[in-house]
Amino acid sequence: MERKQFFVSRLGVKLISITTAALIVVLAGLTYVTATILEQDLIGSCARNTYNMAEVVKNSTRYSMRLNLKKDVNPILRNIRDNDGIQVVRIYDKQGVVRFSADSTELGHEVGIESQLCQPCHNPDIPIEEISIDDRTLIDEETKELIVLNPIFNEPACYEAECHAHDESSSLLGVLEVRTPKEKIDEIVQANVQTVIVNAIIGALALAALSSFLIYSRINRPLRKIKRGIEEYSAGNLKHRVNVRVTDELSDVARQLNAMAEKLESADEEIREWNRTLNRRVEEKTEELKSLYDQVVQVEKLASLGKLSATVAHELNNPLAGILNFSKLVRRRLVKMQKEDEFEKMIGHLTLIAEESDRCGRIVKDLLTFSRRGAEEFADENLVEIAEKSALLVDHHLEMNRQTLEKKFATDEAIVNCDAQKIQQALLSLMINAIEAMDEGGALHIEIETSDGKAVVRVRDEGHGIPEKDLPNIFEPFYTTKESTNGAGLGLSVVYGIIQNHNGKVEVEKTSSEGTTFTITLPLAENENERNA
């Protein structure tokens, strides 16, 4: 029973789903990586711009600081904040106290050295001169601000100034802090992320559609053809062929399936042919065995009947002879004694008794002939000559019935090892039966030929044929289709016994409303001698 296959369980659907999911995961990862890298690049770029701006601030205040004009620094910082989009700009001294700021309220505020803002410059493991711009860039997540720290080093112009505010031993004078809003960076990143996501979705859908098409055309459709081919082979249709046009492993599978189907079809046809041959030979052998069995049964019947016939014939022969002789004697005396036909009726009865006794005598004689083989003398004889002699003996019967004899001998010599008298008796019996089976004006046909080491004699009449129901019984003793006064039904039985004794075969070759053909087959003398040697 074929299991119902749901849509989601199909291989093509699974491959498309897996491929689409993999594409989504990959594109999501690429989107995340792209957004992260973009955010870092934007922060780095903004940090460098802010750092450059801090350098501008530092250079703008350098002159006022060198002249110790501290009151001019705050207005400069305020002017830079208002015009350049900077939220916070302030200067710390090295103790973390706000000395200058664009917002005057911040002046004097102190930032602890342990705070996150001071860690980059106060890291004992890295000298402040070696700190990179990225290390001096911070992001305040609470205020969403980008913080850039620009250290102010003690330059010769500072410690050589007339104010002598700083000595030469101090390397760091303070730190310039510049804060810019991070919202623009977030907006740029978000806009780019949205663009990347939209492009990723479009790309994923396009790749999914392309993958679906390729999977359907290159995998799913060939697999369906292969599956259909397997189903056809399972159903017994070995003539089906799988037609896959792709040039990959699936085409190799299809070619192998087609090759397998061709071999299976050839083997199946060979097996079928063997079965047909075997059935035919079994039928032939069955017919042969049936024929042999029928012959064995017939031989057994004839053997049993022969013994019974010999006993009955001996017991009936003498009484019948006495009845025949006395009836003839009484008839002769009555013929001499009668005057004016006074005993004519009695003489007729005696004549009938004599004729019937004579007929019974012939029946007994046939029984004796049937039951007693006698001293058979086998010799190499020419079957054609025996047939010629038999034809001469029935010539008078043919003339009486206004019938003709047609002979067709394919050879002048057919030597068989036989008892010539017995074979002549068998031929005469068949010829007389043929004459009696025909109406006046018919023709008796006798044919002789040799084939495959055997001599074949055909006796054919132009009578009305033998009924189909009588064919199985014609060689049985006392079975006859003639009128009750024309025979006792022993002729064909005697013929059968003679031919069987000569290792031959007698049979009805064909019968119809146009006549009957009897065939006698005897082994030729040279083959018989080789078989006996």
Side-chain angles (χ1 to χ4, degrees):
M1 182 177 179
E2 186 179 359
R3 186 179 64 181
K4 184 177 181 181
Q5 189 179 45
F6 294 99
F7 178 77
V8 295
S9 62
R10 293 180 180 177
L11 180 60
V13 176
K14 291 180 179 179
L15 288 175
I16 293 172
S17 300
I18 293 173
T19 303
T20 304
L23 287 173
I24 292 173
V25 171
V26 171
L27 291 175
L30 290 175
T31 302
Y32 174 78
V33 172
T34 301
T36 302
I37 294 174
L38 177 62
E39 184 177 12
Q40 292 177 352
D41 291 343
L42 288 174
I43 291 174
S45 177
C46 290
R48 284 188 291 274
N49 291 334
T50 304
Y51 185 81
N52 293 333
M53 190 175 297
E55 287 291 324
V56 172
V57 172
K58 190 165 62 173
N59 292 331
S60 299
T61 59
R62 184 189 303 270
Y63 181 76
S64 298
M65 294 291 288
R66 238 179 354 196
L67 297 178
N68 201 18
L69 298 175
K70 297 179 180 181
K71 57 181 175 48
D72 295 333
V73 175
N74 288 328
I76 294 173
L77 296 179
R78 192 178 300 113
N79 184 48
I80 292 174
R81 183 195 65 181
D82 295 337
N83 294 325
D84 294 327
I86 299 175
Q87 287 186 334
V88 176
V89 56
R90 59 171 72 100
I91 298 175
Y92 298 92
D93 60 14
K94 57 184 180 180
Q95 283 77 27
V97 178
V98 178
R99 296 299 182 183
F100 304 97
S101 176
D103 186 359
S104 59
T105 60
E106 296 177 347
L107 296 175
H109 289 185
E110 183 178 357
V111 179
I113 297 176
E114 66 279 359
S115 66
Q116 183 181 3
L117 187 62
C118 297
Q119 289 302 312
C121 297
H122 293 276
N123 188 353
D125 297 327
I126 303 175
I128 192 171
E129 292 83 1
E130 299 179 5
I131 298 175
S132 64
I133 297 176
D134 294 335
D135 294 333
R136 290 181 291 189
T137 302
L138 301 175
I139 297 177
D140 191 345
E141 296 295 341
E142 294 182 1
T143 60
K144 298 296 181 180
E145 293 176 334
L146 178 66
I147 304 173
V148 176
L149 302 177
N150 192 345
I152 302 174
F153 296 102
N154 188 14
E155 299 175 355
C158 295
Y159 59 75
E160 292 177 356
E162 295 180 356
C163 63
H164 301 290
H166 307 287
D167 55 16
E168 186 178 357
S169 61
S170 298
S171 59
L172 182 65
L173 300 180
V175 175
L176 174 63
E177 177 188 354
V178 179
R179 296 190 177 207
T180 58
K182 188 173 172 288
E183 285 83 358
K184 292 184 179 180
I185 297 176
D186 293 338
E187 291 175 0
I188 294 174
V189 171
Q190 186 175 3
N192 282 273
V193 167
Q194 291 177 352
T195 302
V196 171
I197 291 175
V198 171
N199 293 333
I201 292 174
I202 295 174
L205 293 176
L207 289 175
L210 179 62
S211 300
S212 301
F213 173 75
L214 292 176
I215 290 173
Y216 176 77
S217 61
R218 308 292 293 186
I219 298 177
N220 192 26
R221 187 161 57 185
L223 282 177
R224 290 174 62 185
K225 292 182 178 180
I226 292 173
K227 178 186 175 184
R228 180 185 175 190
I230 294 174
E231 291 174 350
E232 291 289 336
Y233 300 151
S234 300
N237 183 15
L238 298 178
K239 295 185 179 298
H240 181 80
R241 294 294 178 266
V242 179
N243 184 17
V244 176
R245 298 181 179 179
V246 296
T247 55
D248 52 19
E249 290 82 355
L250 292 178
S251 64
D252 295 336
V253 172
R255 283 194 294 271
Q256 294 297 327
L257 280 176
N258 291 334
M260 180 188 70
E262 291 177 359
K263 293 179 180 178
L264 287 176
E265 183 181 8
S266 176
D268 181 69
E269 184 61 30
E270 187 175 355
I271 291 173
R272 291 178 184 273
E273 182 62 28
W274 286 350
N275 287 336
R276 287 191 292 267
T277 303
L278 181 60
N279 291 335
R280 185 169 59 252
R281 297 195 64 180
V282 168
E283 291 175 358
E284 292 174 356
K285 294 300 179 183
T286 302
E287 289 298 325
E288 292 179 6
L289 290 174
K290 184 179 179 181
S291 177
L292 290 174
Y293 176 76
D294 292 340
Q295 293 178 15
V296 170
V297 171
Q298 185 71 9
V299 168
E300 290 179 352
K301 288 181 180 180
L302 293 176
S304 300
L305 188 59
K307 295 178 182 180
L308 177 62
S309 300
T311 303
V312 173
H314 280 295
E315 295 295 331
L316 293 178
N317 193 36
N318 292 331
L320 287 174
I323 293 172
L324 177 62
N325 291 331
F326 279 108
S327 62
K328 288 182 178 180
L329 179 60
V330 172
R331 185 182 64 178
R332 283 197 297 269
R333 287 186 179 183
L334 288 176
V335 169
K336 291 178 181 180
M337 291 173 59
Q338 73 173 340
K339 295 177 181 180
E340 296 180 358
D341 300 331
E342 60 179 329
F343 300 122
E344 191 65 32
K345 186 175 182 180
M346 188 178 297
I347 290 171
H349 290 165
L350 289 172
T351 302
L352 181 60
I353 291 172
E355 290 177 354
E356 290 301 315
S357 298
D358 184 58
R359 191 169 71 87
C360 290
R362 289 196 304 271
I363 293 174
V364 171
K365 183 179 178 181
D366 287 342
L367 281 173
L368 289 172
T369 303
F370 171 75
S371 62
R372 183 176 63 249
R373 292 183 179 179
E376 296 175 342
E377 296 180 0
F378 281 79
D380 290 347
E381 303 286 350
N382 189 355
L383 190 59
V384 176
E385 294 180 357
I386 297 174
E388 291 282 7
K389 291 179 182 179
S390 302
L392 288 175
L393 293 175
V394 299
D395 186 60
H396 179 65
H397 290 76
L398 292 170
E399 289 181 359
M400 291 180 60
N401 291 280
R402 295 183 179 86
Q403 297 169 350
T404 59
L405 175 65
E406 295 185 7
K407 296 181 290 186
K408 183 180 179 182
F409 299 155
T411 179
D412 295 331
E413 189 177 75
I415 306 301
V416 295
N417 188 262
C418 66
D419 185 333
Q421 296 295 329
K422 297 290 185 181
I423 296 300
Q424 183 175 330
Q425 180 183 352
L427 290 176
L428 281 172
S429 182
L430 291 178
M431 290 179 186
I432 291 172
N433 282 348
I435 291 171
E436 293 176 351
M438 293 188 293
D439 299 328
E440 291 186 359
L444 173 63
H445 303 266
I446 302 175
E447 301 176 3
I448 297 178
E449 64 180 11
T450 57
S451 176
D452 297 331
K454 297 181 183 298
V456 180
V457 181
R458 291 184 176 85
V459 179
R460 179 165 60 89
D461 62 58
E462 295 179 352
H464 301 291
I466 302 173
E468 188 72 23
K469 64 182 181 63
D470 295 325
L471 284 175
N473 305 311
I474 59 174
F475 293 109
E476 293 183 2
F478 302 108
Y479 188 88
T480 180
T481 59
K482 302 177 184 177
E483 296 179 0
S484 60
T485 59
N486 291 340
L490 288 171
L492 289 179
S493 298
V494 173
V495 172
Y496 186 87
I498 291 172
I499 300 302
Q500 285 290 317
N501 195 41
H502 284 75
N503 296 322
K505 183 170 65 172
V506 58
E507 60 185 347
V508 178
E509 185 176 38
K510 62 180 179 179
T511 181
S512 66
S513 60
E514 297 178 355
T516 301
T517 302
F518 279 86
T519 302
I520 294 176
T521 305
L522 295 170
L524 292 174
E526 52 186 11
N527 293 337
E528 183 70 13
N529 293 335
E530 290 177 1
R531 191 169 64 85
N532 294 330

